[in-house]
Amino acid sequence: MRYLDEYRDPERARRLADRIAATVTRPWVLMEVCGGQTHAIVRYGIDRVIPSAVELVHGPGCPVCVTSLEMIDRAHAIASRPGVIFTSFGDMLRVPGSRGDLLALRGRGADVRIVYSPLDALRIAKANPDRPVVFFAVGFETTAPANAMAVWRARREGVANFSILVSHVLTPPVIGAILQSGGNRVQGFLAPGHVCAVMGFREYESLAARYRVPMVVTGFEPLDLLEGIWMAVRQLEAGRAEVENQYVRAVSREGNRAARDLVFEVFEVSDRKWRGVGSIPKSGFKLAHEYRAHDAERIFEVADIDTRESPLCISGQILRGLKKPCDCPAFARQCTPQTPLGATMVSSEGACAAYYQYGRYLEAEAAAPERA
Amino acid sequence: MCLSIPGEVTRIRDEGGVRMGDVRFAGVVREVCLECIGDVAEGDFVLVHVGFAISKIDREEAERAYRALDLMGMTSEVKDPLSPSGGRQEPGP
């Protein structure tokens, strides 16, 4: 229980941990979908303050991790074109493509710029009207309104040199894919709080009903996570499979309607390939027809790319909750945050990077010393 | 990728028909799109993700949540967004 002392309210944390222990009568497997939640769980050792009967597996909610290798390679192909200003969030720059990363490309002279917001990329486009400016639009539903706003404004203000390379992914379809996959162990979900702040949680209600799994919309602080786990376990023990909202202070059932309307004005649902997971029907966004003039994939015609993935990396199984980072023979050996083989080690919200950052590799060594 | 950081709206302005504003996160001020927040006023607190406000929250919750996220190293999206891999560190979905 030593970790509990670091919590904002250790007493409340202890009470929640006790409550979980008093509720559990048999083993359960829960998945937190969001990478931010994974990070908090490992940082505070939440998986260790709850009874060992409750296993937490880490989900695919790291946008950097699930952006397909083809898309990374397309980004590289576009950024390599003469005259192009390629803009991106900082954490995409070190993601390995088939032939190095964007940072290396910048080192070779490509104009790759990090921005805080897609609206900053739009501003760069306005300031450089004679150069194509491309923004790498990755992310889950939470990021979609910001990206949609940038494109909506570009169209309205006639910023013809601004385009986005869209690699948007959606949470409910990947949860469905995990539940349908052979060997699935997940019996309950902590649904991502900020995704639901935008989208609401009606879609999760149909998932919970269809697959008979409890889903608890959960926040990001240690106490939120403990409470979300308790709510999910309580449902499982009672044989219930409903959507409950732990994160009421930021999330309503309907979400943010204005943001959602903006997203569906600019984007439409499309099939999407996830790195390590594969193609999932209707699991992403593409630009709607009216906005195709701002579609970088169409403008730069980068369709067929020959990709090369590391044969050692098991991030696909980690992203589906089938394995944990310590199960990987390359973890903390050939693969570290400095020399990542796969995206789950690059992004700090990736499960491998979180395990590495908080020293879980030491346990991997202790558990399997012969592997060295 | 979906961590949103709470901040205080310090200024609201119209930019070509779109409601924009300045939002203060501890010591850092960023330009934020407020278009999708209904009745927002200066002094309100909002949850912001990559320069876009997605939700309004109360002051007490905002201050507490910011401290908790900062302690977990999850506020670099606003504090240090321009470093490769340092910026926008923890926005999971």
Side-chain angles (χ1 to χ4, degrees):
Chain A
M1 289 289 191
R2 68 197 161 94
Y3 297 97
L4 290 184
D5 297 333
E6 297 176 26
Y7 288 21
R8 176 170 53 80
D9 183 347
E11 256 325 294
R12 210 178 134 218
R14 205 165 315 239
R15 276 203 306 276
L16 279 166
D18 290 346
R19 224 184 276 172
I20 295 168
T23 309
V24 173
T25 65
R26 60 200 133 138
W28 299 111
V29 178
L30 301 180
M31 174 181 274
E32 86 283 354
V33 178
C34 169
Q37 291 172 332
T38 301
H39 184 91
I41 284 167
V42 182
R43 159 84 166 78
Y44 285 97
I46 288 171
D47 49 341
R48 286 155 183 202
V49 303
I50 60 174
S52 56
V54 181
E55 186 187 348
L56 299 180
V57 295
H58 316 303
C62 155
V64 174
C65 307
V66 300
T67 299
S68 73
L69 189 55
E70 285 88 342
M71 204 48 93
I72 307 275
D73 287 349
R74 273 180 204 138
H76 290 202
I78 293 171
S80 306
R81 301 274 176 98
V84 167
I85 301 174
F86 193 86
T87 58
S88 167
F89 296 131
D91 50 8
M92 291 306 293
L93 263 68
R94 289 189 54 243
V95 181
S98 298
R99 296 157 195 85
D101 58 28
L102 282 167
L103 209 56
L105 206 61
R106 182 162 80 176
R108 293 198 294 271
D111 193 345
V112 177
R113 304 186 192 180
I114 300 171
V115 291
Y116 160 61
S117 163
L119 292 165
D120 295 340
L122 181 64
R123 189 167 299 121
I124 292 173
K126 287 182 187 170
N128 297 273
D130 49 354
R131 293 180 66 185
V133 174
V134 183
F135 177 70
F136 198 1
V138 301
F140 280 84
E141 293 93 326
T142 320
T143 318
N147 290 341
M149 177 55 82
V151 178
W152 184 81
R153 284 189 61 174
R155 180 170 181 243
R156 207 171 68 133
E157 296 167 25
V159 189
N161 61 322
F162 178 74
S163 64
I164 66 173
L165 179 63
V166 186
S167 187
H168 257 288
V169 283
L170 299 171
T171 316
V174 77
I175 290 178
I178 288 166
L179 287 166
Q180 279 175 24
S181 66
N184 168 54
R185 301 168 58 230
V186 182
Q187 295 159 297
F189 286 86
L190 304 185
H194 290 156
V195 165
C196 295
V198 174
M199 303 299 278
F201 51 80
R202 295 171 82 108
E203 276 187 276
Y204 295 84
E205 291 169 353
S206 32
L207 277 173
R210 179 167 171 202
Y211 295 99
R212 299 279 317 144
V213 288
M215 312 233 165
V216 180
V217 180
T218 305
F220 299 84
E221 297 169 45
L223 288 172
D224 292 328
L225 289 157
L226 279 170
E227 190 170 40
I229 292 165
W230 174 64
M231 289 166 80
V233 167
R234 196 175 52 172
Q235 282 201 51
L236 286 164
E237 290 283 345
R240 288 188 289 127
E242 299 159 14
V243 175
E244 290 181 301
N245 185 8
Q246 180 278 329
Y247 199 33
V248 282
R249 54 196 203 272
V251 176
S252 69
R253 182 168 183 254
E254 298 302 324
N256 182 331
R257 181 165 298 191
R260 225 175 41 222
D261 288 349
L262 171 67
V263 167
F264 285 106
E265 156 70 22
V266 172
F267 293 118
E268 58 188 45
V269 172
S270 69
D271 297 348
R272 176 67 62 203
K273 190 170 177 188
W274 297 56
R275 191 169 195 171
V277 178
S279 190
I280 303 174
K282 296 180 180 162
S283 69
F285 281 138
K286 65 174 183 184
L287 281 170
H289 188 73
E290 297 75 32
Y291 293 87
R292 66 190 183 285
H294 300 284
D295 183 352
E297 245 182 290
R298 193 176 150 271
I299 295 167
F300 294 94
E301 296 176 340
V302 279
D304 296 322
I305 300 237
D306 165 39
T307 58
R308 283 176 237 158
E309 192 78 81
S310 160
L312 288 174
C313 181
I314 63 161
S315 62
Q317 292 170 77
I318 291 171
L319 291 166
R320 280 175 291 166
L322 301 175
K323 292 207 170 161
K324 294 202 176 171
C326 299
D327 299 328
C328 177
F331 177 70
R333 293 185 168 81
Q334 296 96 325
C335 185
T336 68
Q338 287 71 42
T339 55
L341 294 180
T344 42
M345 186 59 99
V346 175
S347 166
S348 58
E349 68 181 278
C352 297
Y355 272 55
Y356 190 92
Q357 186 178 349
Y358 297 114
R360 300 256 172 127
Y361 59 91
L362 299 170
E363 294 158 31
E365 276 169 18
E370 75 281 1
R371 226 170 41 187
Chain B
M1 92 160 12
C2 301
L3 208 66
S4 307
I5 318 285
E8 180 182 6
V9 178
T10 56
R11 201 159 73 92
I12 299 176
R13 64 181 168 279
D14 179 279
E15 197 178 297
V18 176
R19 201 188 311 134
M20 299 292 291
D22 290 340
V23 174
R24 187 170 59 218
F25 307 89
V28 186
V29 175
R30 300 248 167 238
E31 184 176 50
V32 168
C33 179
L34 299 166
E35 182 63 23
C36 291
I37 303 296
D39 51 343
V40 67
E42 287 169 10
D44 281 349
F45 286 80
V46 287
L47 279 175
V48 176
H49 176 64
V50 297
F52 195 93
I54 58 164
S55 179
K56 214 157 97 168
I57 51 171
D58 66 42
R59 170 190 286 269
E60 198 186 329
E61 158 66 10
E63 288 171 351
R64 206 180 47 64
Y66 186 90
R67 278 197 301 275
L69 294 176
D70 201 40
L71 205 62
M72 288 191 273
M74 293 184 180
T75 49
S76 51
E77 171 182 326
V78 291
K79 287 203 299 201
D80 185 25
L82 301 188
S83 81
S85 77
R88 217 186 50 122
Q89 220 173 21
E90 305 313 327

